[in-house]
Structures are given as C-alpha cells and as structure tokens.
Amino acid sequence: MSYDHRVDSLPRVKMADVARTAGVSVATVSKVVNGRYGVSQRTLERVQEVIADLGYEASLGARSLRSFRTNVLGILVAEFEPFSAELLKGAGAAVMATGYELLAYSGGGGSAEVGWERRYLSRLSGTLIDGAIIVTPTVVEARPGVPVVAVDPHAGPTGLPTVDSDNLAGAVLATRHLLELGHRRIAFLGGRPDLASARLRDQGFRSAMADAGVPVDETLVGMGDYRRGTSQEPARALLDRPDRPTAVFAANDLSALAVLDVARDLGLRVPTDLSVIGFDNVPESALSSPPLTTVAQPLQAMGAAALVLLVDLIAGNDVPNHRRLPTELVPRASTAPPRTDD
C-alpha cells in the first residue's frame, strides 16, 4: 500500500466544518473565534472543544481583513545563514512573552539583490504581518504605516530604529589579541565593502595596528565577501606565498573557517604555523578544528532587542533610534604566539 504525503492531501478545516460538528451556526463559531459577546458559556466551551479536536485555525489573511491586525511579526532575511539564524533564535525567544507570533521569511533572491527588502515587505505587510525586523537591509526604508526595525543595515544607522554591535571595538579587540601574542605580520581578510559593519572592522584593524606602531602591509589585505566559498581564493592568495603572514584576522567566522580550510590544504598547522581569528561567534566557530578564536557579537541578544523594539514601535511607545550592543573576545585554540623561527 502506498501513501500520499503531499500537504494538499489534508484539506484545511473550515469554519463551516466546526459549526457542523458543534451543531451551531457559522455565525456562532465566528463569535467564538473573534472573542465577541452573545455566546453562552456552554456553547463557547463546546465550540472551543471542537476547534481543538479539528485543529481549526483562522487564516492570517482572513484575520487581517477582520481586525486590520494579524498579531504576526516578520523577520526578513536575504538568505538563511549562521548569522541570521542566530538572530532568529533570539527573536524567537523574545516573542514568546509578547502575544505575537513570528514569521521568518526569505524570498531566495540572495543578498546580492539590492532592494530585496522592499519586495519582501510588499508581499507580506498589510495582510500577513504587523511589522518587520529586516536583517542587513540594503535600503533602509519602510512602506508607509509598516513599523520596521533594521539589524546591521548596509549603510549603518539611519532614520529607522536600528540594532547592531560595536564592530569597530570588536575589530580592535581581535587585532590587539594577535599583537599581544607577538604577531607583527598580520593579514586582514575583509568582508563586503558595501556593509558599514565590514568597513568598521577594517577601520578597527588599521587603528589597532597604528596604535601598536605596526605598519599594515596592503599586500596582506584581501576581500572575502563574508562567505566561506568566496573567501577561499583570497585566503589562498594570502597564505600561498614565501612571505606569508603569521596571523590572519578574518572579518567574520565564515571567512575565518575558509582560512582554516586553505591552511589545511597548504599543510600549515594552526596555530603553530598560523594563528586565525574570526568575528561573530556563530556556533560553527566552536566546532571547527581547531576551535576558532573569535570576537562575539551578541547575536541572539541583538535579535531579541530588535523584537522588543518592534513591539514597542507598534504599540506607539517611544523607542531609541539606535541600540549598539558590546562585543567581546572569545579566545580558543586557533591563536598562539608566532613560532620563534618566523
């Protein structure tokens, strides 16, 4: 015997089904679902019992048309990757105390498409969500009447309520860590030049090097686009040379993991031959071999903060225009003093 596991093999329970099973009118079911008066306690309990038994759930669209509210918040991302996944965990934990539900949405367009957040908001706002958290938006603006909070926007803080972390201070921490270990020939594998966070990390690297009186070798500065795949080639260019660096600061953990991949391919031992530090502290950083020293952004706290800001914004409360959370160094096994013969 074969079974059809398609979703459409289970028809949606309708209000009429609830009414028929409970032996009441559709109008009575509607009153119960929408919390209106005019239903006896006995009937109310009977209808609620049938709703639970049948698994009836009013559609978001219908709920919106009746009340102009859906009680659903959106978290919109260009793509699901470790950074956005950690933000989502934080927002998901925070939403439980608010009475709202949370919808995570990605249109699959990829982060290279400028203006993706406009399209996503256009599809979801008004009938599906009451407001949105937008993660690393390319264009920081919202449709009229749609409350929006931005997390780590490309251009940095602007007119919308924004949550980010202290990227500049975090990059200084990372670079100072390598300097204090005794490294002087330090490479920097940067992120996306269109992101304010990436520019701040570059600035922090250069600031710490200047403060230590160590000149930056521009041939040891590469661009990895914040992705593990696209970081492989620039990481190889930094490491496959006779005057290779003794340490690499990669602007995010995915880029740092690519450095570890390339070092392994080249037969370099980490941290004996090469120290590597990343930025973000996504879960993968602790699981790498060796575990990756990194700078932690409080990603889950950032997601939670954005959720709380959005709820306050919808409620009409005064909210801060910008929340910046601190970063901290997380030392692990991928960094050590340079070899004495280097």
PDB file of all heavy atoms in Angstrom, residues 185 187 189 219-220 231-249 255-256 258-268 270 273-276:
ATOM      1  N   ARG A 185      53.334  40.427  11.543  1.00  0.00           N
ATOM      2  CA  ARG A 185      52.949  40.259  10.132  1.00  0.00           C
ATOM      3  C   ARG A 185      51.540  39.673  10.109  1.00  0.00           C
ATOM      4  O   ARG A 185      51.325  38.454  10.040  1.00  0.00           O
ATOM      5  CB  ARG A 185      53.951  39.361   9.407  1.00  0.00           C
ATOM      6  CG  ARG A 185      53.744  39.329   7.908  1.00  0.00           C
ATOM      7  CD  ARG A 185      54.993  38.835   7.168  1.00  0.00           C
ATOM      8  NE  ARG A 185      54.729  38.712   5.747  1.00  0.00           N
ATOM      9  CZ  ARG A 185      54.653  39.727   4.900  1.00  0.00           C
ATOM     10  NH1 ARG A 185      54.827  40.964   5.342  1.00  0.00           N
ATOM     11  NH2 ARG A 185      54.422  39.517   3.612  1.00  0.00           N
ATOM     12  N   ALA A 187      47.695  39.532   8.524  1.00  0.00           N
ATOM     13  CA  ALA A 187      46.853  39.739   7.349  1.00  0.00           C
ATOM     14  C   ALA A 187      45.422  40.032   7.789  1.00  0.00           C
ATOM     15  O   ALA A 187      44.998  39.640   8.881  1.00  0.00           O
ATOM     16  CB  ALA A 187      46.880  38.505   6.454  1.00  0.00           C
ATOM     17  N   LEU A 189      41.502  39.656   6.233  1.00  0.00           N
ATOM     18  CA  LEU A 189      40.595  39.198   5.187  1.00  0.00           C
ATOM     19  C   LEU A 189      39.254  39.870   5.437  1.00  0.00           C
ATOM     20  O   LEU A 189      38.492  39.475   6.328  1.00  0.00           O
ATOM     21  CB  LEU A 189      40.462  37.671   5.221  1.00  0.00           C
ATOM     22  CG  LEU A 189      39.604  37.033   4.127  1.00  0.00           C
ATOM     23  CD1 LEU A 189      40.100  37.418   2.739  1.00  0.00           C
ATOM     24  CD2 LEU A 189      39.582  35.518   4.289  1.00  0.00           C
ATOM     25  N   THR A 219      49.558  44.297   0.796  1.00  0.00           N
ATOM     26  CA  THR A 219      49.501  43.028   0.047  1.00  0.00           C
ATOM     27  C   THR A 219      48.930  41.916   0.912  1.00  0.00           C
ATOM     28  O   THR A 219      48.624  40.829   0.398  1.00  0.00           O
ATOM     29  CB  THR A 219      50.899  42.615  -0.460  1.00  0.00           C
ATOM     30  OG1 THR A 219      51.726  42.233   0.644  1.00  0.00           O
ATOM     31  CG2 THR A 219      51.557  43.737  -1.238  1.00  0.00           C
ATOM     32  N   LEU A 220      48.794  42.173   2.197  1.00  0.00           N
ATOM     33  CA  LEU A 220      48.209  41.191   3.110  1.00  0.00           C
ATOM     34  C   LEU A 220      46.773  41.559   3.491  1.00  0.00           C
ATOM     35  O   LEU A 220      46.254  41.112   4.505  1.00  0.00           O
ATOM     36  CB  LEU A 220      49.052  41.065   4.380  1.00  0.00           C
ATOM     37  CG  LEU A 220      50.458  40.485   4.202  1.00  0.00           C
ATOM     38  CD1 LEU A 220      51.167  40.389   5.545  1.00  0.00           C
ATOM     39  CD2 LEU A 220      50.397  39.118   3.522  1.00  0.00           C
ATOM     40  N   SER A 231      35.661  33.215   0.094  1.00  0.00           N
ATOM     41  CA  SER A 231      36.881  33.557   0.844  1.00  0.00           C
ATOM     42  C   SER A 231      38.043  32.618   0.541  1.00  0.00           C
ATOM     43  O   SER A 231      39.186  32.929   0.908  1.00  0.00           O
ATOM     44  CB  SER A 231      36.596  33.545   2.347  1.00  0.00           C
ATOM     45  OG  SER A 231      35.678  34.554   2.705  1.00  0.00           O
ATOM     46  N   GLN A 232      37.772  31.492  -0.114  1.00  0.00           N
ATOM     47  CA  GLN A 232      38.834  30.512  -0.344  1.00  0.00           C
ATOM     48  C   GLN A 232      39.967  31.090  -1.194  1.00  0.00           C
ATOM     49  O   GLN A 232      41.150  30.977  -0.844  1.00  0.00           O
ATOM     50  CB  GLN A 232      38.248  29.276  -1.051  1.00  0.00           C
ATOM     51  CG  GLN A 232      37.184  28.538  -0.273  1.00  0.00           C
ATOM     52  CD  GLN A 232      37.761  27.562   0.735  1.00  0.00           C
ATOM     53  OE1 GLN A 232      38.888  27.114   0.615  1.00  0.00           O
ATOM     54  NE2 GLN A 232      36.974  27.227   1.742  1.00  0.00           N
ATOM     55  N   GLU A 233      39.631  31.707  -2.301  1.00  0.00           N
ATOM     56  CA  GLU A 233      40.659  32.219  -3.215  1.00  0.00           C
ATOM     57  C   GLU A 233      41.481  33.339  -2.588  1.00  0.00           C
ATOM     58  O   GLU A 233      42.724  33.290  -2.627  1.00  0.00           O
ATOM     59  CB  GLU A 233      40.022  32.674  -4.526  1.00  0.00           C
ATOM     60  CG  GLU A 233      41.034  33.109  -5.567  1.00  0.00           C
ATOM     61  CD  GLU A 233      40.390  33.459  -6.900  1.00  0.00           C
ATOM     62  OE1 GLU A 233      39.231  33.051  -7.132  1.00  0.00           O
ATOM     63  OE2 GLU A 233      41.039  34.146  -7.703  1.00  0.00           O
ATOM     64  N   PRO A 234      40.850  34.379  -1.995  1.00  0.00           N
ATOM     65  CA  PRO A 234      41.680  35.417  -1.364  1.00  0.00           C
ATOM     66  C   PRO A 234      42.476  34.880  -0.176  1.00  0.00           C
ATOM     67  O   PRO A 234      43.596  35.357   0.082  1.00  0.00           O
ATOM     68  CB  PRO A 234      40.669  36.480  -0.933  1.00  0.00           C
ATOM     69  CG  PRO A 234      39.348  35.813  -0.960  1.00  0.00           C
ATOM     70  CD  PRO A 234      39.419  34.761  -2.002  1.00  0.00           C
ATOM     71  N   ALA A 235      41.945  33.890   0.541  1.00  0.00           N
ATOM     72  CA  ALA A 235      42.718  33.293   1.643  1.00  0.00           C
ATOM     73  C   ALA A 235      43.957  32.588   1.109  1.00  0.00           C
ATOM     74  O   ALA A 235      45.055  32.693   1.677  1.00  0.00           O
ATOM     75  CB  ALA A 235      41.841  32.320   2.425  1.00  0.00           C
ATOM     76  N   ARG A 236      43.810  31.905  -0.007  1.00  0.00           N
ATOM     77  CA  ARG A 236      44.959  31.215  -0.613  1.00  0.00           C
ATOM     78  C   ARG A 236      46.005  32.225  -1.084  1.00  0.00           C
ATOM     79  O   ARG A 236      47.216  32.003  -0.957  1.00  0.00           O
ATOM     80  CB  ARG A 236      44.490  30.339  -1.776  1.00  0.00           C
ATOM     81  CG  ARG A 236      45.584  29.423  -2.352  1.00  0.00           C
ATOM     82  CD  ARG A 236      44.990  28.444  -3.351  1.00  0.00           C
ATOM     83  NE  ARG A 236      44.045  27.541  -2.710  1.00  0.00           N
ATOM     84  CZ  ARG A 236      44.393  26.409  -2.102  1.00  0.00           C
ATOM     85  NH1 ARG A 236      45.671  26.039  -2.055  1.00  0.00           N
ATOM     86  NH2 ARG A 236      43.481  25.636  -1.551  1.00  0.00           N
ATOM     87  N   ALA A 237      45.536  33.357  -1.620  1.00  0.00           N
ATOM     88  CA  ALA A 237      46.480  34.388  -2.062  1.00  0.00           C
ATOM     89  C   ALA A 237      47.286  34.947  -0.890  1.00  0.00           C
ATOM     90  O   ALA A 237      48.452  35.320  -1.049  1.00  0.00           O
ATOM     91  CB  ALA A 237      45.723  35.514  -2.767  1.00  0.00           C
ATOM     92  N   LEU A 238      46.684  34.991   0.295  1.00  0.00           N
ATOM     93  CA  LEU A 238      47.388  35.496   1.472  1.00  0.00           C
ATOM     94  C   LEU A 238      48.390  34.486   2.023  1.00  0.00           C
ATOM     95  O   LEU A 238      49.445  34.871   2.543  1.00  0.00           O
ATOM     96  CB  LEU A 238      46.381  35.855   2.571  1.00  0.00           C
ATOM     97  CG  LEU A 238      45.423  37.019   2.302  1.00  0.00           C
ATOM     98  CD1 LEU A 238      44.406  37.129   3.437  1.00  0.00           C
ATOM     99  CD2 LEU A 238      46.187  38.328   2.151  1.00  0.00           C
ATOM    100  N   LEU A 239      48.063  33.197   1.904  1.00  0.00           N
ATOM    101  CA  LEU A 239      48.857  32.168   2.572  1.00  0.00           C
ATOM    102  C   LEU A 239      49.862  31.454   1.672  1.00  0.00           C
ATOM    103  O   LEU A 239      50.884  30.957   2.159  1.00  0.00           O
ATOM    104  CB  LEU A 239      47.929  31.116   3.203  1.00  0.00           C
ATOM    105  CG  LEU A 239      46.936  31.623   4.253  1.00  0.00           C
ATOM    106  CD1 LEU A 239      46.137  30.457   4.826  1.00  0.00           C
ATOM    107  CD2 LEU A 239      47.643  32.383   5.360  1.00  0.00           C
ATOM    108  N   ASP A 240      49.569  31.368   0.389  1.00  0.00           N
ATOM    109  CA  ASP A 240      50.442  30.601  -0.521  1.00  0.00           C
ATOM    110  C   ASP A 240      51.512  31.519  -1.097  1.00  0.00           C
ATOM    111  O   ASP A 240      51.520  31.840  -2.283  1.00  0.00           O
ATOM    112  CB  ASP A 240      49.607  29.957  -1.627  1.00  0.00           C
ATOM    113  CG  ASP A 240      50.401  28.911  -2.404  1.00  0.00           C
ATOM    114  OD1 ASP A 240      51.507  28.554  -1.954  1.00  0.00           O
ATOM    115  OD2 ASP A 240      49.903  28.454  -3.457  1.00  0.00           O
ATOM    116  N   ARG A 241      52.410  31.960  -0.242  1.00  0.00           N
ATOM    117  CA  ARG A 241      53.473  32.878  -0.640  1.00  0.00           C
ATOM    118  C   ARG A 241      54.650  32.677   0.317  1.00  0.00           C
ATOM    119  O   ARG A 241      54.450  32.282   1.485  1.00  0.00           O
ATOM    120  CB  ARG A 241      52.978  34.328  -0.609  1.00  0.00           C
ATOM    121  CG  ARG A 241      52.283  34.703   0.672  1.00  0.00           C
ATOM    122  CD  ARG A 241      51.567  36.044   0.593  1.00  0.00           C
ATOM    123  NE  ARG A 241      52.514  37.165   0.601  1.00  0.00           N
ATOM    124  CZ  ARG A 241      52.154  38.426   0.408  1.00  0.00           C
ATOM    125  NH1 ARG A 241      50.881  38.732   0.187  1.00  0.00           N
ATOM    126  NH2 ARG A 241      53.046  39.395   0.424  1.00  0.00           N
ATOM    127  N   PRO A 242      55.854  32.948  -0.132  1.00  0.00           N
ATOM    128  CA  PRO A 242      57.026  32.701   0.726  1.00  0.00           C
ATOM    129  C   PRO A 242      57.063  33.597   1.960  1.00  0.00           C
ATOM    130  O   PRO A 242      57.592  33.213   3.005  1.00  0.00           O
ATOM    131  CB  PRO A 242      58.211  32.991  -0.203  1.00  0.00           C
ATOM    132  CG  PRO A 242      57.662  33.828  -1.302  1.00  0.00           C
ATOM    133  CD  PRO A 242      56.248  33.398  -1.488  1.00  0.00           C
ATOM    134  N   ASP A 243      56.507  34.799   1.850  1.00  0.00           N
ATOM    135  CA  ASP A 243      56.499  35.723   2.989  1.00  0.00           C
ATOM    136  C   ASP A 243      55.112  35.788   3.611  1.00  0.00           C
ATOM    137  O   ASP A 243      54.578  36.854   3.894  1.00  0.00           O
ATOM    138  CB  ASP A 243      56.944  37.111   2.545  1.00  0.00           C
ATOM    139  CG  ASP A 243      56.068  37.664   1.421  1.00  0.00           C
ATOM    140  OD1 ASP A 243      55.323  36.875   0.793  1.00  0.00           O
ATOM    141  OD2 ASP A 243      56.122  38.892   1.180  1.00  0.00           O
ATOM    142  N   ARG A 244      54.527  34.627   3.817  1.00  0.00           N
ATOM    143  CA  ARG A 244      53.154  34.567   4.330  1.00  0.00           C
ATOM    144  C   ARG A 244      53.066  35.225   5.716  1.00  0.00           C
ATOM    145  O   ARG A 244      54.060  35.344   6.439  1.00  0.00           O
ATOM    146  CB  ARG A 244      52.686  33.114   4.404  1.00  0.00           C
ATOM    147  CG  ARG A 244      53.511  32.257   5.350  1.00  0.00           C
ATOM    148  CD  ARG A 244      52.889  30.886   5.549  1.00  0.00           C
ATOM    149  NE  ARG A 244      53.749  30.071   6.393  1.00  0.00           N
ATOM    150  CZ  ARG A 244      53.819  30.171   7.707  1.00  0.00           C
ATOM    151  NH1 ARG A 244      53.094  31.087   8.333  1.00  0.00           N
ATOM    152  NH2 ARG A 244      54.636  29.386   8.403  1.00  0.00           N
ATOM    153  N   PRO A 245      51.856  35.608   6.114  1.00  0.00           N
ATOM    154  CA  PRO A 245      51.669  36.187   7.448  1.00  0.00           C
ATOM    155  C   PRO A 245      51.773  35.112   8.531  1.00  0.00           C
ATOM    156  O   PRO A 245      51.632  33.910   8.255  1.00  0.00           O
ATOM    157  CB  PRO A 245      50.245  36.747   7.375  1.00  0.00           C
ATOM    158  CG  PRO A 245      49.559  35.879   6.362  1.00  0.00           C
ATOM    159  CD  PRO A 245      50.610  35.568   5.330  1.00  0.00           C
ATOM    160  N   THR A 246      51.984  35.544   9.737  1.00  0.00           N
ATOM    161  CA  THR A 246      51.960  34.606  10.867  1.00  0.00           C
ATOM    162  C   THR A 246      50.574  34.536  11.497  1.00  0.00           C
ATOM    163  O   THR A 246      50.307  33.655  12.312  1.00  0.00           O
ATOM    164  CB  THR A 246      52.960  35.025  11.958  1.00  0.00           C
ATOM    165  OG1 THR A 246      52.571  36.293  12.497  1.00  0.00           O
ATOM    166  CG2 THR A 246      54.373  35.105  11.389  1.00  0.00           C
ATOM    167  N   ALA A 247      49.702  35.488  11.113  1.00  0.00           N
ATOM    168  CA  ALA A 247      48.348  35.505  11.673  1.00  0.00           C
ATOM    169  C   ALA A 247      47.399  36.146  10.670  1.00  0.00           C
ATOM    170  O   ALA A 247      47.805  37.001   9.863  1.00  0.00           O
ATOM    171  CB  ALA A 247      48.312  36.268  12.996  1.00  0.00           C
ATOM    172  N   VAL A 248      46.139  35.730  10.719  1.00  0.00           N
ATOM    173  CA  VAL A 248      45.091  36.302   9.869  1.00  0.00           C
ATOM    174  C   VAL A 248      43.901  36.678  10.748  1.00  0.00           C
ATOM    175  O   VAL A 248      43.413  35.851  11.539  1.00  0.00           O
ATOM    176  CB  VAL A 248      44.617  35.318   8.779  1.00  0.00           C
ATOM    177  CG1 VAL A 248      43.485  35.943   7.959  1.00  0.00           C
ATOM    178  CG2 VAL A 248      45.766  34.905   7.884  1.00  0.00           C
ATOM    179  N   PHE A 249      43.456  37.924  10.612  1.00  0.00           N
ATOM    180  CA  PHE A 249      42.186  38.351  11.187  1.00  0.00           C
ATOM    181  C   PHE A 249      41.170  38.359  10.057  1.00  0.00           C
ATOM    182  O   PHE A 249      41.265  39.158   9.126  1.00  0.00           O
ATOM    183  CB  PHE A 249      42.333  39.729  11.824  1.00  0.00           C
ATOM    184  CG  PHE A 249      41.033  40.383  12.225  1.00  0.00           C
ATOM    185  CD1 PHE A 249      39.908  39.637  12.579  1.00  0.00           C
ATOM    186  CD2 PHE A 249      40.927  41.768  12.270  1.00  0.00           C
ATOM    187  CE1 PHE A 249      38.716  40.243  12.947  1.00  0.00           C
ATOM    188  CE2 PHE A 249      39.747  42.398  12.646  1.00  0.00           C
ATOM    189  CZ  PHE A 249      38.635  41.627  12.972  1.00  0.00           C
ATOM    190  N   SER A 255      34.525  33.469   6.912  1.00  0.00           N
ATOM    191  CA  SER A 255      35.789  33.737   6.228  1.00  0.00           C
ATOM    192  C   SER A 255      36.952  33.090   6.974  1.00  0.00           C
ATOM    193  O   SER A 255      37.880  32.545   6.356  1.00  0.00           O
ATOM    194  CB  SER A 255      36.028  35.247   6.126  1.00  0.00           C
ATOM    195  OG  SER A 255      34.981  35.902   5.445  1.00  0.00           O
ATOM    196  N   ALA A 256      36.917  33.132   8.297  1.00  0.00           N
ATOM    197  CA  ALA A 256      37.980  32.513   9.087  1.00  0.00           C
ATOM    198  C   ALA A 256      38.004  31.004   8.888  1.00  0.00           C
ATOM    199  O   ALA A 256      39.077  30.387   8.822  1.00  0.00           O
ATOM    200  CB  ALA A 256      37.793  32.853  10.561  1.00  0.00           C
ATOM    201  N   ALA A 258      37.193  29.521   6.192  1.00  0.00           N
ATOM    202  CA  ALA A 258      37.825  29.334   4.880  1.00  0.00           C
ATOM    203  C   ALA A 258      39.346  29.407   5.002  1.00  0.00           C
ATOM    204  O   ALA A 258      40.067  28.663   4.327  1.00  0.00           O
ATOM    205  CB  ALA A 258      37.323  30.389   3.899  1.00  0.00           C
ATOM    206  N   VAL A 259      39.847  30.296   5.861  1.00  0.00           N
ATOM    207  CA  VAL A 259      41.294  30.373   6.096  1.00  0.00           C
ATOM    208  C   VAL A 259      41.803  29.056   6.680  1.00  0.00           C
ATOM    209  O   VAL A 259      42.853  28.537   6.272  1.00  0.00           O
ATOM    210  CB  VAL A 259      41.629  31.553   7.029  1.00  0.00           C
ATOM    211  CG1 VAL A 259      43.121  31.550   7.370  1.00  0.00           C
ATOM    212  CG2 VAL A 259      41.241  32.883   6.384  1.00  0.00           C
ATOM    213  N   LEU A 260      41.053  28.481   7.610  1.00  0.00           N
ATOM    214  CA  LEU A 260      41.435  27.189   8.166  1.00  0.00           C
ATOM    215  C   LEU A 260      41.454  26.110   7.086  1.00  0.00           C
ATOM    216  O   LEU A 260      42.346  25.255   7.058  1.00  0.00           O
ATOM    217  CB  LEU A 260      40.472  26.780   9.285  1.00  0.00           C
ATOM    218  CG  LEU A 260      40.475  27.624  10.563  1.00  0.00           C
ATOM    219  CD1 LEU A 260      39.488  27.042  11.576  1.00  0.00           C
ATOM    220  CD2 LEU A 260      41.863  27.705  11.170  1.00  0.00           C
ATOM    221  N   ASP A 261      40.464  26.143   6.187  1.00  0.00           N
ATOM    222  CA  ASP A 261      40.415  25.172   5.082  1.00  0.00           C
ATOM    223  C   ASP A 261      41.672  25.273   4.218  1.00  0.00           C
ATOM    224  O   ASP A 261      42.303  24.264   3.888  1.00  0.00           O
ATOM    225  CB  ASP A 261      39.182  25.432   4.203  1.00  0.00           C
ATOM    226  CG  ASP A 261      37.871  25.164   4.917  1.00  0.00           C
ATOM    227  OD1 ASP A 261      37.872  24.422   5.915  1.00  0.00           O
ATOM    228  OD2 ASP A 261      36.842  25.714   4.467  1.00  0.00           O
ATOM    229  N   VAL A 262      42.012  26.493   3.832  1.00  0.00           N
ATOM    230  CA  VAL A 262      43.158  26.712   2.947  1.00  0.00           C
ATOM    231  C   VAL A 262      44.458  26.365   3.663  1.00  0.00           C
ATOM    232  O   VAL A 262      45.364  25.750   3.074  1.00  0.00           O
ATOM    233  CB  VAL A 262      43.175  28.166   2.445  1.00  0.00           C
ATOM    234  CG1 VAL A 262      44.462  28.460   1.680  1.00  0.00           C
ATOM    235  CG2 VAL A 262      41.957  28.439   1.554  1.00  0.00           C
ATOM    236  N   ALA A 263      44.575  26.743   4.932  1.00  0.00           N
ATOM    237  CA  ALA A 263      45.784  26.404   5.693  1.00  0.00           C
ATOM    238  C   ALA A 263      45.977  24.887   5.732  1.00  0.00           C
ATOM    239  O   ALA A 263      47.108  24.388   5.569  1.00  0.00           O
ATOM    240  CB  ALA A 263      45.678  26.966   7.106  1.00  0.00           C
ATOM    241  N   ARG A 264      44.904  24.171   5.922  1.00  0.00           N
ATOM    242  CA  ARG A 264      44.986  22.705   5.951  1.00  0.00           C
ATOM    243  C   ARG A 264      45.448  22.175   4.591  1.00  0.00           C
ATOM    244  O   ARG A 264      46.287  21.277   4.523  1.00  0.00           O
ATOM    245  CB  ARG A 264      43.617  22.137   6.323  1.00  0.00           C
ATOM    246  CG  ARG A 264      43.602  20.644   6.634  1.00  0.00           C
ATOM    247  CD  ARG A 264      42.225  20.196   7.079  1.00  0.00           C
ATOM    248  NE  ARG A 264      41.772  20.949   8.248  1.00  0.00           N
ATOM    249  CZ  ARG A 264      40.773  21.818   8.252  1.00  0.00           C
ATOM    250  NH1 ARG A 264      40.130  22.089   7.130  1.00  0.00           N
ATOM    251  NH2 ARG A 264      40.433  22.442   9.357  1.00  0.00           N
ATOM    252  N   ASP A 265      44.902  22.724   3.515  1.00  0.00           N
ATOM    253  CA  ASP A 265      45.291  22.299   2.165  1.00  0.00           C
ATOM    254  C   ASP A 265      46.773  22.548   1.907  1.00  0.00           C
ATOM    255  O   ASP A 265      47.425  21.770   1.197  1.00  0.00           O
ATOM    256  CB  ASP A 265      44.459  23.030   1.110  1.00  0.00           C
ATOM    257  CG  ASP A 265      43.011  22.574   1.080  1.00  0.00           C
ATOM    258  OD1 ASP A 265      42.721  21.511   1.671  1.00  0.00           O
ATOM    259  OD2 ASP A 265      42.183  23.291   0.498  1.00  0.00           O
ATOM    260  N   LEU A 266      47.287  23.636   2.463  1.00  0.00           N
ATOM    261  CA  LEU A 266      48.685  24.008   2.239  1.00  0.00           C
ATOM    262  C   LEU A 266      49.639  23.344   3.230  1.00  0.00           C
ATOM    263  O   LEU A 266      50.855  23.570   3.184  1.00  0.00           O
ATOM    264  CB  LEU A 266      48.849  25.528   2.317  1.00  0.00           C
ATOM    265  CG  LEU A 266      48.115  26.347   1.242  1.00  0.00           C
ATOM    266  CD1 LEU A 266      48.256  27.840   1.515  1.00  0.00           C
ATOM    267  CD2 LEU A 266      48.655  26.015  -0.148  1.00  0.00           C
ATOM    268  N   GLY A 267      49.110  22.550   4.129  1.00  0.00           N
ATOM    269  CA  GLY A 267      49.953  21.866   5.102  1.00  0.00           C
ATOM    270  C   GLY A 267      50.411  22.738   6.254  1.00  0.00           C
ATOM    271  O   GLY A 267      51.378  22.403   6.945  1.00  0.00           O
ATOM    272  N   LEU A 268      49.713  23.845   6.475  1.00  0.00           N
ATOM    273  CA  LEU A 268      50.053  24.732   7.586  1.00  0.00           C
ATOM    274  C   LEU A 268      49.310  24.301   8.838  1.00  0.00           C
ATOM    275  O   LEU A 268      48.110  24.011   8.789  1.00  0.00           O
ATOM    276  CB  LEU A 268      49.684  26.183   7.242  1.00  0.00           C
ATOM    277  CG  LEU A 268      50.402  26.808   6.043  1.00  0.00           C
ATOM    278  CD1 LEU A 268      49.834  28.188   5.754  1.00  0.00           C
ATOM    279  CD2 LEU A 268      51.900  26.884   6.298  1.00  0.00           C
ATOM    280  N   VAL A 270      47.647  25.042  12.390  1.00  0.00           N
ATOM    281  CA  VAL A 270      47.038  26.140  13.154  1.00  0.00           C
ATOM    282  C   VAL A 270      46.894  25.665  14.598  1.00  0.00           C
ATOM    283  O   VAL A 270      46.314  24.616  14.857  1.00  0.00           O
ATOM    284  CB  VAL A 270      45.665  26.511  12.570  1.00  0.00           C
ATOM    285  CG1 VAL A 270      44.977  27.572  13.431  1.00  0.00           C
ATOM    286  CG2 VAL A 270      45.796  26.987  11.121  1.00  0.00           C
ATOM    287  N   ASP A 273      51.839  27.169  12.935  1.00  0.00           N
ATOM    288  CA  ASP A 273      52.368  27.919  11.798  1.00  0.00           C
ATOM    289  C   ASP A 273      51.584  29.188  11.502  1.00  0.00           C
ATOM    290  O   ASP A 273      52.115  30.116  10.877  1.00  0.00           O
ATOM    291  CB  ASP A 273      52.339  27.035  10.538  1.00  0.00           C
ATOM    292  CG  ASP A 273      53.153  25.765  10.699  1.00  0.00           C
ATOM    293  OD1 ASP A 273      54.251  25.837  11.280  1.00  0.00           O
ATOM    294  OD2 ASP A 273      52.692  24.694  10.252  1.00  0.00           O
ATOM    295  N   LEU A 274      50.342  29.216  11.924  1.00  0.00           N
ATOM    296  CA  LEU A 274      49.456  30.325  11.555  1.00  0.00           C
ATOM    297  C   LEU A 274      48.368  30.474  12.614  1.00  0.00           C
ATOM    298  O   LEU A 274      47.699  29.501  12.961  1.00  0.00           O
ATOM    299  CB  LEU A 274      48.804  30.063  10.197  1.00  0.00           C
ATOM    300  CG  LEU A 274      47.818  31.126   9.691  1.00  0.00           C
ATOM    301  CD1 LEU A 274      48.570  32.374   9.217  1.00  0.00           C
ATOM    302  CD2 LEU A 274      46.946  30.567   8.569  1.00  0.00           C
ATOM    303  N   SER A 275      48.181  31.674  13.115  1.00  0.00           N
ATOM    304  CA  SER A 275      47.061  31.976  14.009  1.00  0.00           C
ATOM    305  C   SER A 275      45.915  32.571  13.186  1.00  0.00           C
ATOM    306  O   SER A 275      46.147  33.337  12.245  1.00  0.00           O
ATOM    307  CB  SER A 275      47.479  32.959  15.104  1.00  0.00           C
ATOM    308  OG  SER A 275      48.266  32.323  16.082  1.00  0.00           O
ATOM    309  N   VAL A 276      44.685  32.212  13.557  1.00  0.00           N
ATOM    310  CA  VAL A 276      43.498  32.681  12.829  1.00  0.00           C
ATOM    311  C   VAL A 276      42.452  33.120  13.846  1.00  0.00           C
ATOM    312  O   VAL A 276      42.156  32.407  14.814  1.00  0.00           O
ATOM    313  CB  VAL A 276      42.910  31.572  11.930  1.00  0.00           C
ATOM    314  CG1 VAL A 276      41.689  32.110  11.172  1.00  0.00           C
ATOM    315  CG2 VAL A 276      43.960  31.041  10.973  1.00  0.00           C
TER     316      VAL A 276
END
